[in-house]
Amino acid sequence: MSGFYKTFKIWGKSFIFLPSSMILFESNKDIEKMVKCAFEHPDEKSIPHNVKQLINIEKNTRKCLEQSKPFDDFINSIQINMINACNMRCKYCFADGGSHHKNSVMDEKQAKRVIDYVFEHIEGNLLSVVIIGGEPMLNMPVFEYILHYCKKKALEKNISVRFATTTNGTLFDVSNLQLLDSYNVMTMISQDSCDKNINDYLRCMANGRQSQYEILQRKKQLLLSQQKKRAAHITITPFNKNFAQTAISFYEEGFYHVHLDFVKSEVAEFLFAETDIAIIKEQLEILSRYIIECIDKNKIINCHPLTDDIKRIHNRIPRTRKCNVLDGLYAFSPEGNIYPCDVLMYDEYELGNIYTGMDENRLIKMREKFGKSEECANCWARYICGGKCFAEMQDSIKANQKFICIMRQYMAEITLYIYDYIQTNKPEYLDNYLK
């Protein structure tokens, strides 16, 4: 970080944010001048004692955070890929139509081996299990086996297990939905636009005849009829830049959580232009205004990344890494190979397998590569967003990375604004994010 504090103005309010200690307060020109003086001339007698205390907290916290946190060698989060296949052909798919250039299908024996391996290397009292594909619902017998066997092993080890899955939603029926709910699987469906033509262009069916949009219109009724907290995923691309209305539509339909992510692609048609920055910022503002309206109405919703870091900010817990890839999180392929995450299930990122274990040399080299980003080290939003994810760091187009960083910095400003709004206007609402 080039400075110890960040000043920003958003929607008529000025703030000062101390990035390392995650202290936020409303500001004006006089306060900003005082804080600036305190950092540059800490012995100045005119600076109030409480301001000096804040500055010392920030400086000392920064020194602690600059000491690299060692990676943990145990497992506490896994992604299990059950099938290298999908019934869709999304235009921007990072997994080559869900296949990762392979055609393997996990059976129950292989699922058992993977889970046994995980429980041999687990530490802590909670395991997060994300079941993925391809399209995971193309392999429901093994999906059910994983849920059952993980739960059994967790009971034996006296730990809690938390399940999640992301699906295109086209294969939902009463039976598999009851199964997911019986294991409290946090289920997220993917839809990119409430405009049928845009969504079906981005997310086309493999058979070229059906429409995911039309299928989901029916399936969502089933999904939302169970009174469970449901999640929806929107991949933001140059084709659906008006994503705010899609997100709001999800909330109005009854979804609890909307997950926003930027497309990961080096294909020319999916590269953002500099002129897109203002458009997407406007969309984020529209969505944020809606979130604040929901707060005023006591309607409980969540949005990644606009609200899901509020608990961290309130408790002043900096995010030192984007996620726990290579630090407790590993992905397992249908063949039993081990990778950093589901986005990087390719041979060049293979870390080993469940038969021979991890290749320690490859793991060390990958961790060294993952931990280096000068841009993140000098970014004020570093401890809110956590920095670049390992998959993003593999992107060879620097303009992509720059665009995403600009957007995440603006999202961090919005998160801080929403947090301040709750604290100032609706403090009782904060409990919804602290539970």
Side-chain angles (χ1 to χ4, degrees):
M1 262 168 267
S2 55
F4 284 104
Y5 67 98
K6 166 71 176 177
T7 61
F8 66 97
K9 187 173 183 178
I10 181 169
W11 306 334
K13 293 189 77 170
S14 297
F15 295 95
I16 290 180
F17 180 59
L18 306 183
S20 300
S21 55
M22 304 192 84
I23 297 172
L24 175 74
F25 49 92
E26 198 171 346
S27 180
N28 56 41
K29 288 184 179 179
D30 291 335
I31 295 174
E32 185 178 335
K33 184 178 179 181
M34 188 188 306
V35 171
K36 184 174 186 290
C37 181
F39 273 116
E40 294 176 355
H41 308 287
D43 297 326
E44 175 64 47
K45 292 182 179 180
S46 63
I47 300 169
H49 178 67
N50 59 347
V51 175
K52 288 185 177 181
Q53 281 185 314
L54 285 178
I55 303 316
N56 286 333
I57 289 170
E58 176 64 16
K59 288 181 176 180
N60 291 333
T61 306
R62 182 178 183 181
K63 286 179 183 177
C64 292
L65 291 173
E66 285 176 343
Q67 299 174 11
S68 297
K69 172 185 175 293
F71 286 89
D72 290 319
D73 289 325
F74 56 79
I75 295 174
N76 58 27
S77 302
I78 60 171
Q79 298 168 333
I80 301 180
N81 185 336
M82 303 184 302
I83 184 167
N84 292 134
C86 187
N87 60 337
M88 294 188 69
R89 293 295 180 269
C90 300
K91 288 283 195 299
Y92 53 77
C93 182
F94 60 78
D96 187 39
S99 72
H100 291 91
H101 304 308
K102 296 175 182 176
N103 59 359
S104 301
V105 180
M106 184 177 284
D107 59 21
E108 289 186 7
K109 287 183 179 180
Q110 190 72 332
K112 182 180 185 300
R113 294 187 189 106
V114 168
I115 295 165
D116 285 340
Y117 178 89
V118 168
F119 276 90
E120 286 170 6
H121 296 83
I122 198 170
E123 189 168 311
N125 57 8
L126 174 66
L127 174 67
S128 173
V129 179
V130 181
I131 302 172
I132 54 172
E135 168 50 48
M137 290 193 172
L138 286 171
N139 195 6
M140 282 308 296
V142 175
F143 199 131
E144 181 174 3
Y145 179 82
I146 290 171
L147 295 173
H148 171 75
Y149 193 60
C150 276
K151 194 74 174 178
K152 178 184 175 184
K153 294 291 288 187
L155 287 170
E156 291 173 1
K157 287 266 189 175
N158 195 29
I159 67 170
S160 298
V161 61
R162 182 174 57 202
F163 297 109
T165 191
T166 299
T167 169
N168 61 43
T170 61
L171 300 176
F172 272 123
D173 59 31
V174 173
S175 176
N176 57 37
L177 188 55
Q178 287 177 343
L179 171 68
L180 298 185
D181 287 345
S182 69
Y183 285 90
N184 292 315
V185 180
M186 175 57 78
T187 303
M188 182 156 62
I189 65 164
S190 297
Q191 181 183 327
D192 292 339
S193 179
C194 56
D195 182 307
K196 177 182 181 301
N197 292 329
I198 293 174
N199 191 77
D200 286 347
Y201 174 76
L202 292 170
R203 303 183 57 78
C204 44
M205 301 299 294
N207 61 22
R209 298 187 305 275
Q210 294 173 293
S211 159
Q212 190 218 18
Y213 180 89
E214 291 178 351
I215 294 171
L216 285 185
Q217 293 306 102
R218 301 188 299 271
K219 301 291 186 179
K220 282 191 288 187
Q221 294 176 18
L222 172 63
L223 188 66
L224 294 167
S225 67
Q226 307 302 310
Q227 303 301 311
K228 294 278 187 178
K229 286 184 177 180
R230 306 299 191 192
H233 186 283
I234 300 172
T235 299
I236 303 171
T237 77
F239 294 91
N240 62 332
K241 288 177 285 193
N242 61 338
F243 59 87
Q245 187 53 53
T246 301
I248 292 170
S249 295
F250 278 127
Y251 289 127
E252 291 296 305
E253 287 171 334
F255 284 85
Y256 160 75
H257 176 82
V258 172
H259 188 110
L260 303 176
D261 201 3
F262 290 100
V263 63
K264 294 178 178 66
S265 176
E266 297 184 10
V267 177
E269 67 175 331
F270 290 112
L271 302 182
F272 289 98
E274 192 171 338
T275 52
D276 292 330
I277 292 173
I279 296 170
I280 292 181
K281 281 186 174 182
E282 181 183 30
Q283 290 293 303
L284 289 169
E285 180 174 347
I286 292 170
L287 178 55
S288 302
R289 296 293 189 191
Y290 175 83
I291 291 171
I292 289 169
E293 287 177 11
C294 290
I295 291 169
D296 287 336
K297 296 174 183 176
N298 287 317
K299 180 179 179 179
I300 304 171
I301 61 171
N302 192 44
C303 179
H304 172 85
L306 301 182
T307 66
D308 61 356
D309 275 322
I310 283 177
K311 181 176 180 178
R312 279 180 173 273
I313 293 168
H314 181 77
N315 292 324
R316 295 177 187 165
I317 302 172
R319 186 188 293 274
T320 56
R321 295 193 179 107
K322 188 69 179 175
C323 65
N324 60 331
V325 163
L326 305 176
D327 189 30
L329 167 64
Y330 298 94
F332 295 83
S333 72
E335 309 93 340
N337 294 329
I338 307 172
Y339 300 89
C341 69
D342 67 313
V343 180
L344 299 174
M345 280 190 162
Y346 294 99
D347 292 344
E348 59 265 41
Y349 303 108
E350 186 181 324
L351 294 167
N353 59 65
I354 58 174
Y355 304 103
T356 60
M358 297 274 194
D359 183 323
E360 290 298 325
N361 290 329
R362 297 203 72 179
L363 184 59
I364 290 169
K365 288 178 181 178
M366 215 170 284
R367 283 172 170 172
E368 289 175 351
K369 187 177 181 181
F370 180 54
K372 294 178 181 178
S373 174
E374 289 300 320
E375 298 97 326
C376 292
N378 295 310
C379 175
W380 71 268
R382 168 72 175 86
Y383 296 119
I384 295 179
C385 94
K388 296 176 184 176
C389 83
F390 190 42
E392 289 169 351
M393 291 172 71
Q394 311 313 304
D395 193 333
S396 62
I397 301 176
K398 294 300 179 184
N400 276 358
Q401 296 190 22
K402 182 180 179 181
F403 174 85
I404 290 175
C405 285
I406 290 171
M407 289 297 99
R408 287 199 175 133
Q409 288 170 345
Y410 188 63
M411 287 171 165
E413 291 182 9
I414 291 173
T415 299
L416 291 169
Y417 179 90
I418 292 174
Y419 172 67
D420 175 77
Y421 184 88
I422 294 171
Q423 287 278 67
T424 304
N425 301 284
K426 211 70 166 165
E428 68 278 7
Y429 191 90
L430 188 61
D431 287 342
N432 297 315
Y433 295 119
L434 300 184
K435 290 177 182 177

